[in-house]
Amino acid sequence: MAVLRADRAIPDSVVRHRLDGETALRYLLIGLFGLFLYLFVLYPMAKVLWRSLLDNDGAFVGLANYVRYFSTPAIAASITNSLYVSVVAMVVTVFLAFLYAYALTRTLMPWRGVFRVVAMLPIFAPSLVQGIAFVYIFGNNGIWTRLTDINIGVYGAKGIIMAEVFYCFPHAMLILIAALTATDARLYDAASALGASRLKTFRTVTLPGVKYGLMSACFVVFTLVITDFGAPKVIGGKFSVMATEIYNQVVGQQNFTMGATVSVVLLIPALVAFVVDRLIQRRQYALVSSSAKPLEPRKNPLAEWSLFAYCFLIAASIAAVYLVILVVSLVERWPYRLAFTLKHYAFDTVGGYTPLLNSVYVSALTAVGGTAIVFIGAYLVEKWRTRASAPLYALSLLPVSIPGMVLGLAYIFTFNVPGSLLNRLYGTLAILVISNLIHYFTVPFLTATTSLRQMDAEFENVGSSMGVPFYKTFWRVTVPIALPSIIAISMYFFLNAMVTLSAVVFLVAPGTELAAVAVLLMDDAGDTAQAAAMSVLIIATGLMVRFAYGGLMRGVTRRTQAWTATATDQVALMGTGSLK
Amino acid sequence: MRRPGNRLTTLVLGAAVLCGAALAGPALAKDTVVIYTAIESEQITEYKKAYEKALPNLEVKMLRFSTGDISARFMAEKDNMQADVIWGVAATNTLIFKNAGLLEAYAPKGLERVQPLFRDKANPPSWVGIDIYMSAFCVNTEVAKKKNLPTPASWGDLTKPVYKGHLVMPNPHSSGTGYLSVASILQRMGETEGWKYLDALHQNMAEYTKSGSKPCKDAAAGERAIGVSFEYVALEMKKKGSPIEMVLPKEGSGYDMEANALTKKGAKNPAAKAFLDWAISNEAMALYAKYFAAVGVAGFPVPEGLPKDISKVVYPNDFDWSAKNRDRILAEWQKRYAK
Amino acid sequence: MTGSWPSGRSGTPSSVASRPPAVELDGIAKKFGEVIALESVSLWVGEGEFVCFLGPSGCGKTTLLRVIAGLERQNAGVVRMRGCDVSALPPSERNYGIVFQSYALFPNLPVARNVAYGLETRRMPRAEIERRVDELLDLVHLRPHKRRYPAQLSGGEQQRVALARALAPSPSLLLLDEPLSALDARVRQALRVEIKALQRRLGITTIMVTHDQEEALTMADRIAVMNHGVVEQIGSPVEIYTEPSSLFVARFVGHMNFIRATACERPGWVRVGSVELRHRPGPTPPAGTRLTLAIRPEEILIGPAVRDGENRIVTRICAMQFLGAFTRLGLALPGDTGPTLECDVAVNALAEVGAREGAELPLVLNPEALRVFSDGD
């Protein structure tokens, strides 16, 4: 082992290599990546923080805004409301999703594939779609209410929680499926050899094994709910949460200062959840050894059929939600005129199909540009260690903890500045692309990093030893090997950009309306049938794109099968385009 | 303290702008005009067909929000103005814009045909009204029957305990309809009594919505029994098949005017003026008149279901008062009723 | 011995030829944070020579190789190639081929494209590239596999592809970083011979890093034994084996018996327990100094020859380990309970001495083979 020997004076600096064109290019690219993150992450966030310390006229007031926020009962209530809704939705979602994931991974019950697919549906819909559906089902004049005459009082916390549970269900389910799959059958063999009862085995083997998965699911759901804006907007009624409060402060009252203040407060729980989640994930690696045996579920008719009934119920409810949306969009006037019509799809009131086309265009640009920036950025950070690597890595992880609304607001502060060159971006599709790209930056970045880390660290060195420029090796070796991850990343970007609302709602401008925002505005204006129709189109687009990507992935996998057997393993995690 | 990192920011603008320009600027062959509006979207659809035909060389970029939202946005952008034209935004708000110095006086072609009530008193005027809309209650008769609710006839009826939880009205912050109703109540009853009334009304309110038409649409969908909204939506919902009855309160409806204006930014844009000229043309007025009882130019037929002479049903509105006191009233409202 | 040129036995570059050495390191030092990986390493590698950097893991041998390759940047010192200072050159301009422990074959490219990788950027005509690839694949006997992907090859075959790829652009220096450590014993043996033969045939200057002393002894022209970031000894395999210059080298290379001893009054003699032994002429520390004696198992004499030899002691056999061609005896010195000496005895000799566990065995520790090291070494 190398040892510490302080007595010899070895200079701290290293002998510098002559700066050749290649190295210069690399530094330039690293610099550009750094500037990109600075300009679109760090600088805007600093602006929000700074803005929360100013009054509406731009004078520095210290923490006065925070004092006002916490001392105005009407606004401060949004904090406790947000926490309440998030915690309840978290507990319910994780509980339901755990049972569901357990049934899918640990039993041989029929229809497992169908159940899995159906449970993924909410990923393809903006969160407010769930809200709209629940109004149609449990609203004062909803199907359920009309049929049973029982009004559950859906407007408010109850409705928000229900909508969020549906919205977050697939995200929690995916994490828990991964956790339940990564187990060691030998533990179960040992437990049964020791004569442990089913319940005891569950308590002493199953639960501890998925402990980290459960925690991770909790944090993901908590963050999704507390930062979500769509569902509370649609179904919250008078119940105000922090995300809607930001929207009301900013859009309704153009009170940017209070918007910034609420934003900074909203950052805290999201940031905490993120940090804890990272710490947990770091620990989970050690849990399953490489010699682990996968668990083969055993037949158990009683448990299977009860779990089948449970999954059927959940899957049917999820399917019902989207069926309601579909039906509502196709009838004349729910619930008074039920004749079939396509007129709600004409969108003759709101710029026609422009928002949808814009959305597809923006999503495609996000997919292409985001994938390129994320992958090249991760490559530069991971493969060319410099002093900038650690800060760039940290900056790349930061976006996941920035709620979309906060990012959008930060971009207003950054780009809506008269006379600034940055102002050129304001009101363009480009800024929507960038905000999506940053909003969903971290998960793809981590995927790219993982995929790059799995590659031999010496590829670049082999190339440069033979005088092959790094960009050629990147293009001929790194990219082809990482192709499955790259495809997964671009799909993740596309699908998320298609449904996101919070990151773009402040940034749309005349001519750059997006589909999800159109849903919001139509619902706001009371045109719910059209909102449902637009939702159907968003979901349909997402499903088609997902389908196309599935085909693409199969093609790539087939082609790469010749040289690798493990090309798809990490795609499983992102394959659905979920996990924010 | 300075804004963080300005120098570095300036350094990278080049890249950002290149990127922006590449995405943002598909060649601007047509004359572009940016319009902010609060007109109901169904109506815009109708109007759009007309102006696209009349002004084929115009590329219209339109942003529609509720009155309060679009106004707030326009005000917030005052240092970095985006809009060229204000089209169909409540006169109260337009007056506020004028007082803030955000408008350019402009006399659109054909101004002489517009009735005096419908225009800014200054010459050339800073704003020109195109139509009048007024508060109206939308009552879902089916729901009312099920819930045993009598049909309200007046503002006063709405505070009866029987309606508790069945009412919905627009938030005056975001909605022009909401504000005109509140302003009209305060003007009619005086501030002390007015706020007392609003307190009582609040007790019955299920929700305050963002948009002015949403209460009526909620009532039409059967989600709520009664929505305080404005007359056009009530008729529209009834036409579309909902069991809706329109009630104009007997104390008199509040009203406001949808008005047009040229912004400081639009002053340099000939296309903006061309649009404003079209917006008070007979063709445009005929279209407005399909939805509103009173439009800027006299002599158009009144739509089915609306009173022939609206001066009989509205409570007179002091626009100056409404504009001047808007911030104060909204702040008071916020304090009392926002959650 | 750090900081200075290796002892005269290894020679200086100028004594070999008037040409400058292929690689010359002068005072290379490298640290990672506060951890010192290399401490002023100086050595040279002659043209066409095969030099091994040998040492335990973490001794700095791989770091040294990477400094030569330009993949690590040293904190101090100069790297020269054929007399030119290349310290400031990026890797791409140093003209070497390298084979990594993992081979780092490009999994997405077939064998032929892997080998052609370094040629394709050199504006070489296609046909020329094809020819060169075939030539190299012939050299490593892999031509039939040229269309296969690396994953479809065995470990040894992958290793040879990596070698061919490194050699393809005709570099003037070949760097091998633990090239055989990932292979099983049989393949490793075969490849040692093959690589060595190839190196001879091409006459290419080669530096190989290994922790396997057997590999170093069988392949290298010269071995640099490294420990804790310094070169302990440089020399031919025979020198390293027979004349280890330090306790570390003695311990690391080959099998060696160590016996604790103290210096006697008489110069050249030490005391082990109750016996006094003469050792190979060497340092003569003051009496009473604690010393370590070292002798290789095969250098211990037993049987008829020991009847009246010098340094004769009688030991007890306490363990016998059958190792095929010979048997290794664990021997306890007089007064000891456990074995302190190991001695290899050929099968037929074993019967001759009548060895069995518990029996006494007289032996002679030939003074010429009995090396002495001071304990601090």
Side-chain angles (χ1 to χ4, degrees):
Chain A
M1 273 284 112
V3 285
L4 282 161
R5 256 180 250 161
D7 51 338
R8 311 266 176 151
I10 295 175
D12 284 328
S13 61
V14 291
V15 172
R16 305 204 75 83
H17 285 173
R18 216 190 58 225
L19 190 69
D20 58 339
E22 245 191 86
T23 318
L25 176 63
R26 221 153 50 217
Y27 283 143
L28 179 74
L29 288 174
I30 291 174
L32 282 177
F33 184 59
L35 281 178
F36 174 80
L37 290 178
Y38 169 78
L39 194 60
F40 297 115
V41 180
L42 205 56
Y43 180 63
M45 292 323 290
K47 287 280 252 184
V48 170
L49 261 174
W50 178 234
R51 188 62 181 259
S52 74
L53 304 176
L54 305 179
D55 67 11
N56 268 328
D57 299 320
F60 183 79
V61 293
L63 295 175
N65 291 320
Y66 293 93
V67 173
R68 219 183 94 216
Y69 180 22
F70 288 111
S71 60
T72 313
I75 315 183
S78 67
I79 299 180
T80 44
N81 285 352
S82 267
L83 289 174
Y84 167 71
V85 166
S86 306
V87 168
V88 175
M90 175 186 89
V91 171
V92 175
T93 309
V94 172
F95 178 79
L96 294 179
F98 178 79
L99 267 186
Y100 201 86
Y102 185 87
L104 290 185
T105 52
R106 297 288 176 88
T107 73
L108 295 167
M109 70 175 187
W111 290 20
R112 293 198 304 276
V114 179
F115 286 151
R116 193 172 169 150
V117 170
V118 173
M120 296 308 298
L121 271 175
I123 275 182
F124 299 95
S127 64
L128 74 175
V129 173
Q130 276 73 231
I132 296 175
F134 280 117
V135 169
Y136 274 114
I137 298 169
F138 295 111
N140 297 331
N141 201 27
I143 303 164
W144 165 271
T145 319
R146 284 169 82 87
L147 286 177
T148 62
D149 236 0
I150 301 168
N151 190 340
I152 65 162
V154 79
Y155 293 98
K158 222 181 279 176
I160 298 178
I161 291 168
M162 286 168 65
E164 297 290 9
V165 166
F166 274 73
Y167 170 57
C168 299
F169 188 82
H171 299 264
M173 181 192 76
L174 281 175
I175 296 171
L176 292 171
I177 284 180
L180 282 162
T181 313
T183 189
D184 193 342
R186 295 174 303 180
L187 292 174
Y188 288 85
D189 294 344
S192 73
L194 291 168
S197 68
R198 267 171 202 291
L199 192 67
K200 183 151 191 194
T201 308
F202 183 80
R203 242 187 28 207
T204 55
V205 180
T206 309
L207 275 185
V210 296
K211 186 171 64 184
Y212 293 126
L214 275 172
M215 286 171 154
S216 194
C218 282
F219 285 116
V220 166
V221 172
F222 180 85
T223 313
L224 276 172
V225 176
I226 205 165
T227 59
D228 182 43
F229 150 76
K233 181 78 189 58
V234 170
I235 206 168
K238 286 207 274 186
F239 190 84
S240 141
V241 296
M242 288 162 87
T244 48
E245 194 57 42
I246 297 177
Y247 182 76
N248 288 335
Q249 293 293 340
V250 171
V251 170
Q253 306 173 20
Q254 302 280 320
N255 187 346
F256 292 106
T257 293
M258 199 36 95
T261 308
V262 183
S263 291
V264 173
V265 176
L266 182 56
L267 262 176
I268 295 168
L271 211 59
V272 169
F274 166 70
V275 170
V276 178
D277 187 42
R278 289 299 302 167
L279 291 177
I280 287 170
Q281 282 191 5
R282 201 167 297 168
R283 246 192 264 169
Q284 195 173 9
Y285 281 116
L287 218 58
V288 178
S289 73
S290 53
S291 60
K293 251 174 60 194
L295 185 65
E296 300 287 345
R298 267 167 249 170
K299 272 252 163 252
N300 178 1
L302 181 70
E304 255 166 50
W305 284 107
S306 43
L307 282 171
F308 177 84
Y310 168 78
C311 290
F312 185 83
L313 198 70
I314 296 267
S317 327
I318 294 175
V321 163
Y322 298 97
L323 197 66
V324 164
I325 292 288
L326 182 65
V327 168
V328 163
S329 76
L330 288 173
V331 302
E332 191 80 24
R333 180 143 194 89
W334 185 270
Y336 300 111
R337 283 190 201 165
L338 298 180
F340 173 84
T341 176
L342 281 176
K343 72 172 184 190
H344 302 305
Y345 287 85
F347 302 120
D348 45 4
T349 61
V350 282
Y353 279 83
T354 314
L356 188 69
L357 295 178
N358 278 346
S359 264
V360 172
Y361 183 57
V362 163
S363 302
L365 282 178
T366 307
V368 173
T371 307
I373 293 175
V374 157
F375 194 77
I376 293 173
Y379 169 82
L380 293 169
V381 167
E382 198 50 45
K383 293 290 179 186
W384 300 102
R385 293 272 160 197
T386 60
R387 225 165 287 161
S389 295
L392 287 179
Y393 187 78
L395 259 186
S396 300
L397 295 195
L398 183 62
V400 82
S401 57
I402 304 174
M405 308 219 73
V406 178
L407 191 68
L409 187 61
Y411 278 16
I412 293 186
F413 294 152
T414 309
F415 299 104
N416 185 14
V417 179
S420 158
L421 263 173
L422 285 175
N423 192 31
R424 294 283 188 86
L425 278 176
Y426 192 63
T428 65
L429 284 174
I431 198 170
L432 300 176
V433 171
I434 292 169
S435 78
N436 279 332
L437 208 156
I438 295 295
H439 188 196
Y440 296 105
F441 196 82
T442 305
V443 171
F445 182 83
L446 287 173
T447 307
T449 305
T450 310
S451 140
L452 287 164
R453 276 188 192 159
Q454 285 168 349
M455 268 177 230
D456 197 307
E458 311 289 8
F459 284 160
E460 286 72 27
N461 292 337
V462 168
S464 61
S465 78
M466 296 192 281
V468 180
F470 76 93
Y471 46 85
K472 277 203 179 153
T473 305
F474 175 76
W475 186 246
R476 288 203 50 194
V477 178
T478 314
V479 169
I481 295 177
L483 205 53
S485 308
I486 290 174
I487 291 171
I489 288 172
S490 77
M491 176 173 75
Y492 176 88
F493 270 126
F494 190 101
L495 292 181
N496 279 304
M498 199 66 205
V499 300
T500 188
L501 178 64
S502 57
V504 293
V505 71
F506 292 148
L507 300 173
V508 292
T512 69
E513 298 89 354
L514 296 180
V517 180
V519 174
L520 171 75
L521 295 181
M522 288 186 272
D523 181 76
D524 249 357
D527 300 321
T528 14
Q530 293 197 23
M534 187 60 92
S535 306
V536 167
L537 292 181
I538 293 176
I539 297 170
T541 310
L543 287 174
M544 279 190 307
V545 168
R546 175 69 186 86
F547 212 68
Y549 268 111
L552 187 63
M553 189 69 90
R554 270 191 297 281
V556 168
T557 314
R558 207 175 312 125
R559 256 194 47 203
T560 57
Q561 249 163 12
W563 45 270
T564 173
T566 56
T568 47
D569 54 354
Q570 54 176 306
V571 176
L573 243 189
M574 286 194 56
T576 51
S578 98
L579 280 189
K580 156 76 216 228
Chain B
M1 278 202 237
R2 294 254 187 89
R3 277 201 303 255
N6 255 338
R7 193 177 310 160
L8 189 49
T9 312
T10 345
L11 272 175
V12 293
L13 294 184
V17 167
L18 267 180
C19 165
L23 288 164
L28 304 171
K30 288 181 163 186
D31 299 328
T32 306
V33 56
V34 177
I35 298 175
Y36 280 17
T37 181
I39 295 176
E40 286 297 299
S41 22
E42 302 94 294
Q43 297 167 15
I44 295 178
T45 312
E46 189 80 21
Y47 303 163
K48 189 176 170 208
K49 286 180 203 141
Y51 72 66
E52 276 176 354
K53 210 194 253 163
L55 306 164
N57 206 32
L58 221 57
E59 163 95 11
V60 172
K61 289 192 167 182
M62 197 172 310
L63 187 67
R64 194 211 96 84
F65 277 119
S66 294
T67 308
D69 291 358
I70 198 78
S71 306
R73 178 150 177 162
F74 179 64
M75 293 287 280
E77 287 171 347
K78 62 177 187 280
D79 296 326
N80 184 30
M81 211 177 265
Q82 307 285 319
D84 298 311
V85 165
I86 301 293
W87 179 38
V89 172
T92 310
N93 299 73
T94 322
L95 213 55
I96 296 172
F97 302 158
K98 180 191 173 188
N99 295 339
L102 305 181
L103 302 182
E104 180 84 8
Y106 173 64
K109 270 183 220 137
L111 179 67
E112 64 287 349
R113 299 160 22 255
V114 175
Q115 306 173 66
L117 172 70
F118 281 83
R119 44 172 293 187
D120 184 15
K121 295 187 183 58
N123 203 8
S126 286
W127 57 268
V128 178
I130 52 176
D131 54 58
I132 279 175
Y133 62 106
M134 54 196 168
S135 34
F137 307 160
C138 292
V139 182
N140 186 315
T141 48
E142 191 202 78
V143 175
K145 198 154 99 202
K146 203 154 87 191
K147 300 269 155 75
N148 269 328
L149 303 177
T151 302
S154 64
W155 286 107
D157 286 350
L158 291 184
T159 57
K160 289 181 181 158
V162 65
Y163 296 116
K164 188 170 174 65
H166 296 300
L167 294 187
V168 55
M169 78 172 273
N171 185 326
H173 270 286
S174 53
S175 156
T177 310
Y179 182 67
L180 74 84
S181 301
V182 170
S184 161
I185 287 163
L186 292 177
Q187 285 183 31
R188 177 167 53 81
M189 303 178 77
E191 294 222 16
T192 325
E193 287 305 302
W195 284 114
K196 241 186 241 164
Y197 171 81
L198 286 169
D199 285 347
L201 192 60
H202 179 69
Q203 294 308 311
N204 283 349
M205 205 56 64
E207 191 185 346
Y208 296 99
T209 67
K210 195 154 202 49
S211 111
S213 56
K214 172 114 167 144
C216 192
K217 287 174 178 171
D218 279 354
E223 275 306 302
R224 309 289 185 193
I226 300 161
V228 177
S229 188
F230 63 102
E231 84 290 4
Y232 155 72
V233 217
L235 288 182
E236 189 65 20
M237 290 301 112
K238 198 170 174 176
K239 237 189 322 195
K240 284 188 175 156
S242 292
I244 282 292
E245 189 185 322
M246 179 176 84
V247 174
L248 297 175
K250 67 169 192 269
E251 296 96 335
S253 293
Y255 81 96
D256 204 330
M257 203 177 280
E258 290 189 322
N260 303 343
L262 183 67
T263 71
K264 283 280 184 221
K265 173 170 178 272
K268 289 167 230 115
N269 184 355
K273 292 179 182 168
F275 183 85
L276 285 171
D277 294 348
W278 173 84
I280 62 158
S281 65
N282 279 342
E283 183 193 13
M285 287 293 166
L287 290 172
Y288 304 149
K290 282 169 75 176
Y291 303 102
F292 296 100
V295 298
V297 177
F300 288 94
V302 173
E304 184 92 19
L306 287 181
K308 293 278 171 261
D309 181 1
I310 63 158
S311 63
K312 299 250 169 62
V313 296
V314 300
Y315 187 85
N317 187 1
D318 180 345
F319 286 117
D320 282 329
W321 187 90
S322 285
K324 218 178 299 158
N325 294 297
R326 184 169 183 269
D327 282 351
R328 186 176 58 78
I329 292 170
L330 289 182
E332 180 67 23
W333 191 90
Q334 176 83 9
K335 211 169 77 195
R336 285 173 187 249
Y337 313 126
K339 271 71 70 180
Chain C
M1 81 177 304
T2 57
S4 59
W5 284 97
S7 58
R9 241 196 311 252
S10 315
T12 54
S14 52
S15 73
V16 176
S18 53
R19 277 193 304 170
V23 177
E24 193 181 349
L25 304 177
D26 191 355
I28 300 291
K30 172 73 189 169
K31 57 181 182 180
F32 296 102
E34 287 304 302
V35 182
I36 293 166
L38 294 171
E39 211 182 313
S40 193
V41 172
S42 299
L43 54 83
W44 57 270
V45 179
E47 200 71 54
E49 203 180 11
F50 192 131
V51 169
C52 269
F53 295 167
L54 173 67
S57 69
C59 71
K61 56 191 190 299
T62 294
T63 307
L64 190 59
L65 188 85
R66 293 176 75 92
V67 166
I68 296 171
L71 301 175
E72 296 287 356
R73 288 180 291 172
Q74 68 273 29
N75 294 71
V78 174
V79 181
R80 284 185 208 94
M81 290 185 182
R82 293 177 168 165
C84 299
D85 184 351
V86 298
S87 306
L89 290 187
S92 55
E93 294 173 31
R94 295 193 182 190
N95 191 20
Y96 62 86
I98 188 164
V99 175
F100 291 101
Q101 191 171 7
S102 62
Y103 318 140
L105 291 178
F106 304 134
N108 59 319
L109 302 178
V111 168
R113 295 266 75 77
N114 259 285
V115 176
Y117 197 78
L119 305 171
E120 285 171 355
T121 43
R122 287 172 197 228
R123 302 189 184 284
M124 211 186 251
R126 257 197 126 65
E128 179 80 357
I129 293 178
E130 285 300 304
R131 201 189 49 71
R132 177 81 179 136
V133 167
D134 287 347
E135 185 185 313
L136 280 153
L137 287 177
D138 281 338
L139 211 55
V140 295
H141 318 297
L142 282 174
R143 194 149 170 194
H145 293 339
K146 74 187 276 191
R147 307 255 167 263
R148 295 215 192 159
Y149 287 100
Q152 297 164 319
L153 301 180
S154 72
E157 287 166 339
Q158 291 183 25
Q159 212 285 331
R160 276 141 62 196
V161 175
L163 197 62
R165 181 179 66 179
L167 292 171
S170 315
S172 57
L173 173 65
L174 180 61
L175 303 176
L176 307 170
D177 182 9
E178 304 256 10
L180 302 174
S181 65
L183 300 170
D184 58 53
R186 190 180 294 270
V187 182
R188 197 153 57 203
Q189 300 261 355
L191 269 173
R192 270 182 207 161
V193 179
E194 197 173 325
I195 292 176
K196 181 64 187 169
L198 194 64
Q199 188 264 341
R200 281 265 164 76
R201 182 135 49 101
L202 300 175
I204 183 171
T205 313
T206 302
I207 301 175
M208 179 170 92
V209 160
T210 180
H211 65 271
D212 181 340
Q213 40 107 4
E214 206 178 306
E215 208 167 284
L217 292 173
T218 50
M219 295 172 79
D221 296 329
R222 278 193 304 146
I223 297 172
V225 184
M226 296 182 66
N227 188 31
H228 291 337
V230 302
V231 175
E232 295 260 349
Q233 186 178 3
I234 292 190
S236 69
V238 176
E239 280 168 357
I240 297 282
Y241 191 79
T242 56
E243 315 278 340
S245 65
S246 68
L247 197 54
F248 172 79
V249 176
R251 207 186 298 268
F252 194 74
V253 178
H255 202 76
M256 188 72 95
N257 287 302
F258 294 99
I259 307 163
R260 302 200 147 274
T262 38
C264 292
E265 298 287 345
R266 216 170 0 155
W269 285 76
V270 294
R271 172 175 295 280
V272 176
S274 58
V275 286
E276 290 201 349
L277 298 172
R278 188 166 73 83
H279 59 78
R280 178 194 283 201
T284 48
T289 312
R290 302 194 66 83
L291 296 168
T292 301
L293 298 175
I295 185 165
R296 298 207 181 269
E298 71 274 17
E299 290 169 337
I300 295 175
L301 301 176
I302 57 166
V306 312
R307 218 151 295 155
D308 43 22
E310 211 180 351
N311 281 357
R312 181 175 187 274
I313 46 176
V314 178
T315 59
R316 196 166 36 79
I317 302 175
C318 44
M320 291 176 71
Q321 202 181 352
F322 177 64
L323 293 172
F326 57 88
T327 298
R328 179 162 292 169
L329 303 179
L331 305 170
L333 290 172
D336 283 355
T337 45
T340 35
L341 279 183
E342 284 184 341
C343 164
D344 292 344
V345 185
V347 176
N348 43 359
L350 196 67
E352 224 168 89
V353 297
R356 64 190 156 72
E357 266 180 55
E360 293 206 328
L361 183 69
L363 50 78
V364 159
L365 304 173
N366 180 4
E368 282 312 307
L370 200 56
R371 303 156 186 91
V372 64
F373 299 99
S374 62
D375 261 11
D377 254 12

